[in-house]
Amino acid sequence: LDVCPDAWYIKLANPVLAGTMYIGRKYAKLKFIGLCHGFGGVFHIAELLGLNRDRLEYQIPGVNHFIWLTRFRYEGRDAYPLLDEWIEKEAPKYWQQCEPSDDIGPKAVDLYKRFGVFPIGDTCTPGGGSWPWWYHVDDETERRWKEDPKGWWRWIFEPSREDRFMETLKVAEDPSAKVTNIFPAERSGESMIPIIESIACDMPRTFQVNIINGGDLVPGVPKDFEVEVPARVSKKGVFGIRADPLPKPLIQHILRDRVAPVEIEVEAYETGSGERLLELIMMDPWTRSEGQA
């Protein structure tokens, strides 16, 4: 804001939820958005259903790592019946060959049956904190739902990924090296470059973004809290689009499992309070004692 007030800050690093809320509140005049590619899980569903992603119409509101498919249309028609048919006829075969903690695994489908909208991205994978906890109370329960958070996270720490990281770091620090020698020059599906293009070249388009809930973009979420919603992006800026309402039980889960912990997390960060941090860990369903926390 002091050096380049017209610059855009596009946040990709986790935690997107807490970071967007903290930065969005503290620097209200900053041109700022958070991005997460989790919404792309809708394309995984489209792939399984044999649908062309370019003909999809979707809306996936919520807060980061807690987003739900409230609108799902294909060529103008409701596509949820297609998903229901796939779940009835094809899902059992898919679950036999998919990896544990899959974003369209038995747990995700069970949540869809409970709440009436499908969880997308890291809403119910270990990347989002393995929400909800009742599928993870013990090893037997996890096996029943084909969940394996430890195995899911193990890929992060595999030696091959460490080698890739060092290779990437080397290219980043060498001005003479070409990034495309490691990463082929093809479209990744990530949205940051198209968003930059829309802003810099004034090409109005709609993207999924993380911003403050001004204008009641997700009804039921506090208005100064972070939300993940569609937004119209152009040279004029980023303007959130008011989303379809989430089912009331999901708003209640957002308030308990996302809003309350993140408010304490941010307070612990702002004040440097170990006591607040301890309270945050004590809220976790897996915490069994203050000593453990």
Side-chain angles (χ1 to χ4, degrees), residues 219-235:
V221 175
K223 292 187 178 180
D224 63 345
F225 199 77
E226 180 270 1
V227 287
E228 184 166 323
V229 291
R232 196 67 175 163
V233 180
S234 69
K235 187 176 182 180

Side-chain angles (χ1 to χ4, degrees), residues 20 43 56 58 65 82 86 88 100 124 152-153 158 187 204 234 239:
T20 298
F43 302 135
L56 287 178
Y58 56 85
H65 285 182
L82 301 176
W86 180 87
E88 181 181 353
C124 67
W152 194 96
W153 278 109
E158 289 176 352
R187 294 183 183 272
S234 69
F239 301 93

Side-chain angles (χ1 to χ4, degrees), residues 51-222:
L51 307 180
N52 184 333
R53 67 166 64 186
D54 295 330
R55 298 175 186 173
L56 287 178
E57 179 191 348
Y58 56 85
Q59 198 171 95
I60 316 172
V63 301
N64 184 238
H65 285 182
F66 200 91
I67 55 175
W68 301 80
L69 187 60
T70 57
R71 187 184 303 175
F72 185 41
R73 296 181 179 275
Y74 186 68
E75 296 183 337
R77 296 183 178 182
D78 183 13
Y80 258 119
L82 301 176
L83 178 57
D84 293 336
E85 183 179 7
W86 180 87
I87 289 171
E88 181 181 353
K89 297 180 179 180
E90 304 295 334
K93 291 186 289 184
Y94 175 76
W95 294 338
Q96 288 178 5
Q97 54 86 27
C98 74
E99 294 294 325
S101 299
D102 190 271
D103 65 338
I104 311 180
K107 173 182 167 183
V109 169
D110 191 62
L111 287 169
Y112 166 46
K113 292 178 179 178
R114 285 175 181 267
F115 298 115
V117 286
F118 205 91
I120 297 296
D122 280 323
T123 300
C124 67
T125 75
S130 295
W131 185 91
W133 55 89
W134 57 78
Y135 298 96
H136 301 275
V137 293
D138 52 40
D139 291 343
E140 181 181 349
T141 302
E142 287 191 330
R143 282 193 294 270
R144 188 163 67 248
W145 291 104
K146 197 168 182 177
E147 285 296 313
D148 182 16
K150 292 179 182 177
W152 194 96
W153 278 109
R154 198 172 294 125
W155 68 277
I156 290 288
F157 304 104
E158 289 176 352
S160 60
R161 292 187 62 83
E162 184 177 345
D163 295 342
R164 180 76 164 195
F165 171 76
M166 295 307 297
E167 187 179 23
T168 304
L169 189 63
K170 184 178 179 181
V171 171
E173 294 176 342
D174 182 359
S176 66
K178 287 189 174 183
V179 175
T180 50
N181 287 343
I182 293 184
F183 300 102
E186 58 188 30
R187 294 183 183 272
S188 68
E190 299 284 354
S191 60
M192 65 284 283
I193 299 302
I195 283 176
I196 291 170
E197 182 181 47
S198 283
I199 294 172
C201 303
D202 198 18
M203 298 173 61
R205 286 179 288 199
T206 300
F207 297 96
Q208 184 96 349
V209 302
N210 291 266
I211 55 179
I212 293 293
N213 191 30
D216 203 22
L217 299 174
V218 178
V221 175

